[in-house]
Amino acid sequence: MSVTVLLFASYADALGASSVQLELPPDATVADVLADLRGRPGAQLLPPAPLVAVNQRYARADSAVRAGDEVAVIPPVAGG
Amino acid sequence: MSVTVLLFASYADALGASSVQLELPPDATVADVLADLRGRPGAQLLPPAPLVAVNQRYARADSAVRAGDEVAVIPPVAGG
Amino acid sequence: MTNDPSPATRLTRDPIDPAALLRLAGRPANGALVLFVGVVRDVNDGRAVTGIEYSAYEAMAATELADIATEAAARFGTPDIAIEHRLGELALEEASVGIAVGHPHRGGAYDASRWIIEQLKRRVPIWKREHYVDGTREWVDPTGHPASAAGLGR
Amino acid sequence: MTNDPSPATRLTRDPIDPAALLRLAGRPANGALVLFVGVVRDVNDGRAVTGIEYSAYEAMAATELADIATEAAARFGTPDIAIEHRLGELALEEASVGIAVGHPHRGGAYDASRWIIEQLKRRVPIWKREHYVDGTREWVDPTGHPASAAGLGR
């Protein structure tokens, strides 16, 4: 299945993209998304457990990811 | 000696004046000012220990009062 | 803009301008501004209010306001403090007091703001007489002993 | 004036207008308004800053801001909450965030204001890149692990 992963700020700089399209098995989780990303150039710079959102809600590493979901890997937030 | 006593808000209403001129002995204190006031019509309505300022600073009952001082009897404050 | 490194305090019969107070608290080093505005509200202690009349022992009130600002500046480490208290007749929803604090960090700005309003309510010789829907007026005693109960009402 | 009984939140690329936020938090029953303004300051962690660029995961940030306001309304018992966060390039002394809370009593207004800014800083996916006097730029990591230290700098 196809999943869109959004990258922002320092993570987008590190991986050289603000979004990537991943092909994942149908029972994939957030952890699988991160594992896939870690194989890409620049991704060694991601922290061990980055914040992740699925469809604009914070999600845990074992959260399911479904076809068409919008997954976002979220650098430390700095609003305010 | 002559001392000016200022009255405000509910105290001015009670005593029917916003200021009174007192004649006091030279070694008078704030307590003497209050004792004098208590002899006046309406003054039975003062609380047992009202706030008092001498020359625009809060003062204690045993604070000295000198000729020409500006003494103020201060109702419960309600700013803000 | 850089303001004078001293607090600004005043009593005023003109409407309070929150934006002007905020400007007085600005400084390039300040990452946080906190503004408190006290407003005349339509109900107090269950009675419908139509307006409030504020009066003061003006010379002493001005001194106390200035003292509070100076003490807050030392205690919280910022000179960027502006306080205005309104006097006279105020309608509902008008501002009775405005306090602006600028501080490098938000914790200091919040803490100073809260400290100032608590001190102001405790120390500054200002009084208010509420006007009620039924046409009566009463001096407000925040200590919880209404003047009328002590026989000091109008 | 009586506002809609629901919080108002938004991301904006326009300058934040504190007076407009205060108006959104007004209501005849509210005796207290507290406004917090976050401002771009000239020094951060000892480095001279010339400006800040804010960016966001906009759809999610808007949702989180609205959620924070709704949660604060329930937790502190007031619907009169207005929050704006600025995005884009900001100069020194420009406001990055404005939070206005109206409440019948000052304690509720201060507590809600403080809770909202702490939640905002913890949850809302907004990032900032500081621009320094020496021409360099860096993403700010408030968790205390600068991106550059982890090799994620520019």
Side-chain angles (χ1 to χ4, degrees):
Chain A
M1 67 178 186
S2 183
V3 170
T4 302
V5 179
L6 304 179
L7 300 167
F8 297 95
S10 57
Y11 295 176
D13 286 356
L15 282 93
S18 59
S19 104
V20 293
Q21 203 74 21
L22 303 190
E23 285 303 319
L24 295 171
D27 59 346
T29 65
V30 163
D32 296 320
V33 170
L34 292 173
D36 186 303
L37 285 180
R38 287 189 200 286
R40 293 164 186 263
Q44 70 277 15
L45 305 175
L46 290 174
L51 288 173
V52 174
V54 175
N55 298 328
Q56 302 170 18
R57 293 287 176 185
Y58 287 110
R60 303 184 340 173
D62 60 1
S63 298
V65 173
R66 293 185 178 79
D69 276 356
E70 178 177 296
V71 179
V73 190
I74 299 196
V77 302
Chain B
M1 66 180 184
S2 183
V3 170
T4 302
V5 179
L6 304 180
L7 301 166
F8 297 95
S10 57
Y11 295 177
D13 287 356
L15 280 95
S18 58
S19 103
V20 293
Q21 203 72 21
L22 303 189
E23 286 302 320
L24 295 171
D27 60 346
T29 64
V30 164
D32 296 319
V33 171
L34 291 173
D36 185 304
L37 285 180
R38 286 192 201 285
R40 292 163 186 263
Q44 70 277 16
L45 305 173
L46 290 174
L51 288 173
V52 174
V54 176
N55 298 330
Q56 303 169 15
R57 293 288 176 185
Y58 287 110
R60 302 183 343 171
D62 60 1
S63 297
V65 174
R66 295 188 176 77
D69 276 356
E70 178 178 294
V71 179
V73 190
I74 299 199
V77 303
Chain C
M1 131 195 58
T2 295
N3 290 301
D4 280 346
S6 57
T9 62
R10 68 172 183 143
L11 302 168
T12 177
R13 284 180 167 72
D14 299 323
I16 290 172
D17 178 355
L21 289 176
L22 283 172
R23 280 193 295 275
L24 286 170
R27 180 182 302 275
N30 288 344
L33 298 171
V34 171
L35 174 73
F36 174 82
V37 182
V39 181
V40 178
R41 63 200 186 102
D42 61 358
V43 175
N44 194 21
D45 278 340
R47 297 186 67 178
V49 173
T50 59
I52 293 188
E53 168 196 346
Y54 280 91
S55 59
Y57 180 10
E58 294 195 30
M60 182 174 170
T63 301
E64 287 288 330
L65 274 188
D67 285 357
I68 288 170
T70 301
E71 290 170 36
R75 180 181 285 253
F76 298 98
T78 176
D80 299 311
I81 294 170
I83 311 175
E84 285 191 3
H85 201 296
R86 180 96 178 267
L87 298 179
E89 300 277 348
L90 274 71
L92 297 187
E93 298 201 60
E94 282 200 282
S96 54
V97 61
I99 299 167
V101 178
H103 196 283
H105 303 288
R106 67 187 181 281
Y110 277 106
D111 291 348
S113 177
R114 187 73 196 261
W115 186 86
I116 289 166
I117 185 62
E118 300 304 331
Q119 289 289 314
L120 186 155
K121 285 177 173 278
R122 187 171 304 156
R123 293 166 49 177
V124 182
I126 294 176
W127 302 280
K128 64 180 174 188
R129 185 151 57 171
E130 289 181 340
H131 300 194
Y132 303 105
V133 166
D134 63 6
T136 61
R137 309 184 300 176
E138 241 172 70
W139 295 105
V140 174
D141 180 352
T143 61
H145 309 291
S148 58
L152 287 176
R154 48 188 283 281
Chain D
M1 129 195 59
T2 296
N3 291 302
D4 281 346
S6 56
T9 60
R10 68 171 184 143
L11 301 169
T12 177
R13 285 183 165 72
D14 300 323
I16 290 171
D17 178 355
L21 288 176
L22 283 172
R23 281 193 296 275
L24 286 170
R27 179 182 302 275
N30 288 344
L33 298 171
V34 171
L35 174 73
F36 173 82
V37 182
V39 181
V40 178
R41 63 200 185 100
D42 61 357
V43 174
N44 194 20
D45 279 338
R47 297 186 66 178
V49 173
T50 59
I52 293 188
E53 169 197 344
Y54 280 90
S55 60
Y57 179 12
E58 294 195 30
M60 181 173 170
T63 302
E64 287 287 329
L65 274 187
D67 285 356
I68 288 169
T70 301
E71 290 169 37
R75 179 182 284 253
F76 298 97
T78 176
D80 299 312
I81 294 169
I83 311 174
E84 286 191 2
H85 201 296
R86 180 96 180 266
L87 298 179
E89 299 277 348
L90 276 71
L92 296 187
E93 297 200 62
E94 282 201 281
S96 54
V97 62
I99 299 167
V101 177
H103 195 283
H105 304 289
R106 66 188 182 281
Y110 277 107
D111 291 348
S113 177
R114 187 73 197 260
W115 187 86
I116 289 166
I117 184 61
E118 300 304 332
Q119 289 290 314
L120 186 155
K121 285 177 172 277
R122 188 171 304 158
R123 292 165 50 177
V124 182
I126 294 176
W127 301 280
K128 64 180 174 188
R129 185 150 57 171
E130 289 180 341
H131 300 195
Y132 303 105
V133 167
D134 63 7
T136 60
R137 310 185 299 176
E138 242 173 69
W139 295 105
V140 175
D141 180 353
T143 61
H145 309 292
S148 59
L152 288 175
R154 48 188 283 278

